[in-house]
Structure formats: C-alpha cells, structure tokens
C-alpha cells in the first residue's frame, strides 16, 4: 500500500486504494489529475475497498483510471515466475477486458511520470447517475509555450471503445495552436470519429459521439486554464 516518489515518478503499490488518490498529499501535489479523477470512481464504499491496480488490470472500457493513466503515460510493474517486467500503458490493453498480462503474472505497482511544473490537467465525464460508469469521459494534460500556444497535449478517452483510448490525432491537431475556445471546440469535435462503441442500454452510438466531444472540450478548457495559472470554474 506504499505511495512514494522515485525521481520524477510516483509509485503506487498494488493495494493502494481509490480514496487515497484523492486524500494523499503527495499525490495531490505531484499528479493532481489522479486526485481529480478519484471522486468519479463509484461511491465512497467502493473507493475505500477497490484498489488502483485492480481497476487497471480489470480493464473495464468505461472505467476512469485507465484513461487517466494513459494520459499520464504510466507503466505497470508485473511479476511472475519468469521475473519482473515493466509494461507501458500504451501497450497494456488489447480490447474489451483484455490485457497483455500473462495468466501467471500479478501487477505489483504502477509508476506514474510526474508532469512538469506548469502542466494543466482536467477530467470530465458524463454518466447516467453519479457513481455509474461513464457514457464517455476524457482525461487531459496540457502544457503551453511562453507565447501561450500548446506545446503538448495528452488526451485519453473512456467509454468510447473496447478499451481506454489515447486520442493521438486530436493531440497532434492541437499542438502549436493558441487554445482559444474556438480551437478547443474544433479539435474536440474530431473525437467523435474515434468513438467505436455499440449502441447499448446506456446510450446510442450517435449520442456517445456527441458526449465524447463535449467532455473533451470541457476537460481541455480546464487544463488550459490551469496551465495559464488560473482555476477553472
């Protein structure tokens, strides 16, 4: 259950629980995106019993933490009879409830790079009720050049495909641009093309595409505001 900093990375042990993301001062100071995501995870009872690594390995495509870890370029530490190995999050998910973890391996920790000072963060999701899995959600990091243009954007989505999804095309479209409301709306609309989820009892495909664009725009606006030194409303 240890939470510690190793150089420029935050290390969360295998039994760190969801509620600790919101309450631990080291997490709030170094990787505030995780603290922002935590209240969206189920309800208080769930957050006090469920573990961070357990959620990541379960690989639910509508869970919040996989998207946050994707945006942060985190990595998992897995261990089994063959020894210990590190798995980048970008290579971890294969599809619906499927990962690259071997049957005889356990995840023993997750390592999260600490964003550079001045990096803004944001998370938004829409669900039918508070505590439900997201119809669509977006975890975002934004860093700015001195002239105010975007030097780097990291955008990861949940609820829109068979696994958490990194929106690399949208990130590239935002890089180098001034993050005006018009630009954020324009690039966020491109997220709709990435949605690959079947219509289900929660939402139609068309509605989920609209929601994905909306939450991305909102999360980007939050991250930009923080990168500029302000606080989102």
């Amino acid at each position: 259950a240890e939470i510690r900093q190793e150089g420029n990375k935050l290390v969360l042990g295998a039994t760190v629980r969801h509620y600790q993301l919101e309450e631990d001062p080291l997490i709030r100071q170094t990787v505030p995106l995780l603290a922002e995501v935590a209240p969206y995870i189920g309800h208080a009872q769930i957050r006090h019993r469920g573990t961070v690594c357990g959620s990541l390995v379960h690989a639910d495509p509508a869970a919040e933490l996989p998207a946050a870890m994707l945006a942060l370029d985190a990595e998992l530490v897995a261990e089994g009879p063959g020894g210990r190995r590190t798995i980048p999050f970008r290579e971890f998910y294969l599809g619906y409830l499927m990962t690259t973890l071997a049957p005889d391996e356990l995840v023993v920790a997750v390592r999260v790079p600490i964003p550079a000072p001045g990096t803004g963060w944001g998370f938004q999701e829409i669900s039918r009720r508070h505590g439900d899995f997201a119809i669509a959600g977006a975890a975002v990091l934004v860093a700015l050049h001195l002239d105010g243009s975007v030097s780097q954007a990291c955008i990861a989505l949940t609820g829109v495909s068979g696994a958490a999804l990194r929106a690399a095309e949208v990130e590239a479209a935002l890089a180098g641009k001034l993050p005006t409301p018009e630009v954020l709306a324009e690039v966020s609309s491109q997220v709709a093309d990435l949605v690959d989820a079947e219509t289900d009892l929660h939402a139609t495909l068309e509605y989920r595409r609209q929601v994905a664009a909306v939450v991305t725009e909102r999360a980007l606006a939050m991250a930009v505001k923080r990168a500029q030194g302000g606080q989102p409303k």
Side-chain angles (χ1 to χ4, degrees):
E2 186 180 14
I3 300 170
R4 66 183 186 277
Q5 183 174 346
E6 290 183 356
N8 66 341
K9 291 185 179 180
L10 184 71
V11 181
L12 309 178
T15 60
V16 170
R17 301 185 187 275
H18 301 314
Y19 80 92
Q20 293 173 264
L21 300 178
E22 188 176 7
E23 298 184 4
D24 186 87
L26 181 60
I27 293 176
R28 297 184 67 87
Q29 176 185 355
T30 57
V31 191
L33 176 61
L34 295 179
E36 182 127 326
V37 168
Y40 291 89
I41 302 171
H43 303 282
Q45 297 93 326
I46 292 171
R47 293 195 292 274
H48 276 75
R49 298 188 68 180
T51 63
V52 172
C53 288
S55 175
L56 299 176
V57 172
H58 182 54
D60 193 297
E64 293 83 4
L65 282 178
M69 295 298 182
L70 264 180
L72 289 159
D73 283 321
E75 58 189 18
L76 290 167
V77 181
E79 191 166 341
R84 177 173 289 203
R85 67 185 179 116
T86 299
I87 310 171
F89 250 87
R90 287 176 181 252
E91 303 172 7
F92 186 60
Y93 294 118
L94 300 176
Y96 181 72
L97 302 181
M98 296 174 61
T99 74
T100 59
L101 197 67
D104 59 355
E105 287 183 314
L106 291 173
V107 168
V108 296
V110 57
R111 294 186 181 132
V112 187
I114 296 172
T119 301
W121 70 94
F123 180 81
Q124 285 284 294
E125 74 170 35
I126 291 178
S127 59
R128 296 184 69 183
R129 297 165 299 186
H130 176 71
D132 284 1
F133 283 112
I135 293 174
V140 168
L141 295 171
V142 172
L144 303 177
H145 291 295
L146 292 177
D147 65 359
S149 62
V150 175
S151 63
Q152 183 180 26
C154 302
I155 304 169
L157 307 172
T158 185
V160 303
S161 187
L165 178 69
R166 186 74 179 257
E169 301 91 336
V170 183
E171 296 173 357
L174 187 57
K177 295 182 179 178
L178 289 173
T180 63
E182 294 77 18
V183 168
L184 296 185
E186 178 185 352
V187 298
S188 297
S189 67
Q190 300 176 28
V191 166
D193 296 331
L194 303 178
V195 177
D196 181 26
E198 296 181 0
T199 295
D200 56 23
L201 59 85
H202 301 294
T204 64
L205 172 59
E206 292 74 16
Y207 180 66
R208 190 170 264 115
R209 283 174 170 164
Q210 293 179 28
V211 168
V214 168
V215 294
T216 301
E217 183 179 356
R218 291 176 179 174
L220 280 171
M222 294 174 68
V224 168
K225 188 72 173 180
R226 285 169 166 150
Q228 293 170 337
Q231 287 295 327
K233 296 180 181 180

